[in-house]
């Protein structure tokens, strides 16, 4: 088994969000890191819009940034979003707070800014070299050889590596090569919905034309529109629609159908998106996939992390957060182990159940966002949940709170969330106002069902670092 030698150069596939952060962690541990990135350097050339213009960063992602000293600057570039602003088909807008108070919020941040910031800091250590337009095409784990294509010239060549870390995203070449090995498996479950980005420009003087501190949602059952604020006063909207069917990307095939659809479903948004037709027919239609793979490593020779290991659908806003958490965990394991194989095996053992849990929660949240958020019953349940969060601090915990505002392992968040959800549902039965919730009954249910679970799993709630 290969010893972990800090003098050995490591090879990392992908300078996306996770790859850049992992490179920085490794450099701080003293490793030389050679990063191969398929795309051009986005700091010098305009790169085709990525997977989303902005994204939500929350406790887990911010913690990982704190570990490398970059969270303060990231917060300065982010906009706090304190709740979901629901835009119903008819009637008033309603804000559903995410947490017990405004201190519990998620943050909208520019993907491009964050990626560039991480790359620059990784390179700034003097230990990370990023080579752009270099695509990994093949990996031969027996001989530890990569086939790399230079995207500028089209020429391919072979490169020897010692240890390979694959952070090359949901379509990972490294994972796909791993999946060919005996004992390895990988599944990809594509979503039948795709997404399209649209833009709401800033108002006069760079002002925001809707509430700035919210994630806006237009829930419409089988489809939805969302919008996140940007620092320049604009919002980036994402329209999630089925690929095929009566209301789908396939059916909206002309500007007149598109405008009629928006007039009918999203009239307030339509008034704010002047370039709707241009955005819709020119921006790419993105696809989403859940990737589950196992194991995530080949002995001590290679490991995958981030989307490369476990891509998830974006409806919990956790893909990057989970990938950033991977980086912190792997970094800690490299301090604890003397052999690569042991560190990688423990990384897989520790992270796999949690990656699976957030993958499942993300799919469930899709239904919640596009459907349930529109229902009065859901709104009432959220209000009851808030009452309980404030009435029983540390005893009543909701799934959303644990996932977004804590670093409690995802699997526990999933299980606590299921128990808490049932309690809320029972207490909401027959209620018309959240203030009328029966707190005595609530206390009993929390004591009987949640407290024993929390007690039994208390080690899981003890987070280090
Ligand atoms: P990527 O960001 O995909 O980076 C992979 C990198 O590897 C890229 O730079 C790519 O060019 C490079 N690469 C790929 N193949 C090769 C190759 N063969 N050779 C060399 N380089 C290669 N997450 C959140 O936490 N919050 C959100 O709000 C959120 N919103 C999202 C919205 C949408 C619409 C989508 C699609 C995703 C969202 N996510 C969100 C998920 C998040 O985008 C991903 O989890 C995150 O980008 C994963 O980072 P990564 O570095 O693992 O992969």
């Amino acid at each position: 088994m290969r010893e972990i030698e800090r003098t050995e150069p490591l090879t990392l596939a992908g300078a996306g969000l996770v790859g850049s952060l992992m490179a920085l962690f490794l450099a701080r541990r003293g490793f030389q890191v050679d990063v191969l990135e398929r795309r051009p350097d986005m700091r010098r050339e305009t790169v085709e819009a990525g997977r989303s213009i902005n994204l939500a960063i929350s406790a887990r992602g911010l913690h990982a940034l704190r570990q490398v000293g970059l969270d303060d600057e990231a917060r300065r570039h982010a906009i706090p979003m304190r709740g979901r602003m629901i835009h119903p088909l008819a009637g008033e807008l309603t804000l559903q707070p995410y947490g017990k108070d405004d201190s519990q919020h998620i943050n909208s941040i520019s993907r491009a800014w964050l990626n560039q910031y991480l790359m620059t800091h990784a390179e700034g250590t003097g230990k990370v070299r990023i080579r752009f337009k270099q695509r990994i095409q093949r990996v031969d784990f027996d001989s530890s050889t990569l086939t790399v294509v230079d995207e500028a010239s089209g020429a391919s060549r072979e490169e020897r590596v010692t240890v390979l870390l694959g952070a090359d995203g949901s379509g990972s070449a490294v994972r796909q090569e791993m999946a060919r090995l005996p004992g390895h498996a990988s599944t990809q479950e594509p979503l039948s919905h795709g997404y399209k980005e649209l833009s709401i420009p800033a108002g006069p003087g760079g002002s925001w034309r809707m509430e700035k501190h919210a994630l806006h949602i237009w829930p419409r059952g089988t489809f939805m529109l969302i919008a996140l604020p940007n620092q320049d006063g604009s919002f980036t909207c994402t329209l999630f629609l089925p690929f095929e069917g009566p209301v789908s990307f396939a059916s909206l095939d002309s500007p007149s159908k598109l405008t009629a659809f928006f007039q009918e479903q999203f009239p307030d948004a339509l008034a704010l998106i002047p370039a709707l037709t241009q955005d819709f027919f020119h921006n790419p239609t993105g696809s989403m996939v859940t990737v589950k793979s196992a194991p995530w490593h080949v002995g001590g020779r290679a490991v995958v992390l981030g989307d490369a290991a476990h891509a998830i659908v974006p409806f919990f806003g956790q893909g990057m957060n989970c990938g950033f958490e991977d980086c912190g965990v792997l970094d800690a394991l490299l301090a604890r182990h003397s052999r690569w194989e042991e560190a990688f095996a423990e990384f897989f053992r520790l992270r796999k159940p949690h990656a699976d849990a957030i993958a499942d929660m993300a799919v469930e949240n899709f239904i919640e966002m596009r459907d349930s958020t529109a229902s009065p019953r859901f709104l009432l349940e959220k209000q009851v949940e808030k009452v309980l969060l404030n009435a029983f601090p540390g005893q009543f915990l909701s799934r959303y709170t644990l996932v977004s505002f804590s670093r409690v392992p995802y699997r526990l968040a999933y299980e606590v969330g299921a128990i808490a959800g049932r309690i809320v549902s029972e207490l909401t039965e027959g209620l018309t106002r959240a203030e009328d919730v029966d707190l005595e009954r609530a206390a009993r249910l929390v004591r009987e069902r949640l407290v024993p679970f929390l007690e039994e799993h208390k080690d899981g709630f003890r987070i280090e670092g």
Side-chain angles (χ1 to χ4, degrees), residues 13-19 36-39 51-52 54-57 111 115 134-137 167-173 195 197 228 238 240 287-288 305-308 312 314 317-322:
L17 294 167
V18 172
L36 296 165
E37 167 55 51
R38 183 179 62 182
R39 292 180 305 194
R51 315 253 316 272
S52 62
N54 51 23
L55 25 70
I57 187 164
R111 176 190 291 270
N115 206 153
Q134 304 299 313
R135 177 169 58 86
I136 295 178
Q137 187 181 47
D168 49 344
S170 57
S172 170
Y195 70 91
E197 292 200 333
L228 274 71
T238 311
F240 295 94
S287 56
M288 292 162 285
L305 68 160
D307 274 18
I312 62 177
Q318 285 293 312
M320 168 192 65
N321 285 286
C322 179

Side-chain angles (χ1 to χ4, degrees), residues 199-459:
S199 180
I200 294 181
S207 58
W208 286 266
R209 301 182 69 195
M210 303 187 293
E211 168 58 48
K212 172 185 174 188
H213 293 291
L215 190 156
H216 293 261
I217 309 183
W218 290 255
R220 299 290 184 266
T222 58
F223 54 90
M224 70 172 172
L225 180 71
I226 68 168
L228 274 71
N230 297 312
Q231 286 215 310
D232 63 0
S234 66
F235 285 84
T236 303
C237 302
T238 311
L239 175 64
F240 295 94
L241 269 185
F243 284 111
E244 303 286 337
V247 182
S248 64
F249 283 113
S251 73
L252 295 176
D253 56 3
S254 70
S256 58
K257 285 187 196 166
L258 175 69
T259 311
F261 171 65
F262 265 71
Q263 255 155 5
E264 186 186 296
Q265 297 293 339
F266 313 115
D268 60 337
L270 177 62
L272 301 173
I273 310 177
L276 174 65
T277 308
Q278 164 79 12
D279 283 359
F280 188 88
F281 290 106
H282 287 86
N283 290 348
T285 308
S287 56
M288 292 162 285
V289 63
T290 301
V291 170
K292 290 189 178 170
S293 65
W296 293 348
H297 66 112
V298 180
R301 275 170 280 175
V303 69
V304 281
L305 68 160
D307 274 18
H310 48 69
I312 62 177
V313 295
F315 306 107
F316 224 119
Q318 285 293 312
M320 168 192 65
N321 285 286
C322 179
F324 278 9
E325 204 172 44
D326 281 354
C327 298
V329 171
L330 186 55
D331 175 65
L333 292 173
L334 294 180
R336 234 178 276 157
H337 287 279
S338 54
R339 299 200 167 89
W340 289 106
E341 179 159 4
E342 289 166 1
F344 291 167
E346 195 178 351
F347 174 66
F348 171 63
R349 188 182 61 75
L350 286 178
R351 293 296 289 163
K352 173 69 174 163
H354 305 308
D356 285 350
I358 189 59
D360 295 344
M361 289 192 276
V363 171
E364 286 175 25
N365 224 41
F366 183 32
I367 298 161
E368 177 168 313
M369 280 177 88
R370 66 175 209 227
D371 215 345
S372 318
T373 50
S375 90
R377 162 80 190 210
F378 178 83
L379 185 56
L380 189 58
E381 286 195 3
K382 284 284 152 200
Q383 289 164 348
V384 169
E385 185 179 285
K386 189 174 169 187
V387 171
L388 301 187
L389 283 168
N390 284 305
F392 308 104
Q395 291 194 323
F396 179 84
L397 304 161
S398 75
R399 179 177 286 176
Y400 194 89
T401 311
L402 288 175
V403 168
S404 301
F405 308 130
S406 90
R407 292 188 295 117
V408 162
Y410 288 121
R411 171 59 55 194
L412 280 181
Y414 187 89
E415 290 172 14
V416 170
I419 301 171
R422 279 193 295 274
I423 293 178
V424 169
S425 175
E426 284 175 37
L427 292 169
T428 308
E429 211 56 61
L431 218 60
T432 48
R433 298 181 336 148
E435 306 87 280
D436 299 336
V437 65
D438 179 348
L439 283 178
E440 264 179 45
R441 182 167 166 228
R444 201 185 69 244
L445 293 178
V446 168
R447 209 170 44 242
E448 284 172 6
R449 299 188 196 167
L450 263 178
V451 172
F453 183 90
L454 300 182
E455 189 54 32
E456 190 186 336
H457 295 91
K458 62 175 183 285
D459 288 348

Side-chain angles (χ1 to χ4, degrees), residues 1-71:
M1 275 202 272
R2 190 192 279 279
E3 300 278 333
I4 298 179
E5 302 271 1
R6 272 166 236 295
T7 48
E8 251 176 357
L10 310 177
T11 304
L12 203 153
L17 294 167
V18 172
S20 302
L21 180 61
M22 193 67 232
L24 183 51
F25 267 109
L26 292 167
R28 287 163 61 98
R29 238 174 234 294
F31 293 103
Q32 293 286 341
V33 192
D34 192 17
V35 184
L36 296 165
E37 167 55 51
R38 183 179 62 182
R39 292 180 305 194
D41 186 347
M42 60 170 90
R43 294 164 298 184
R44 295 185 176 83
E45 293 177 41
T46 313
V47 176
E48 175 217 339
R51 315 253 316 272
S52 62
I53 288 172
N54 51 23
L55 25 70
I57 187 164
S58 48
R60 296 164 203 267
L62 286 169
H63 176 75
L65 293 181
R66 188 173 321 126
Q67 289 177 295
V68 293
L70 301 185
D71 59 316

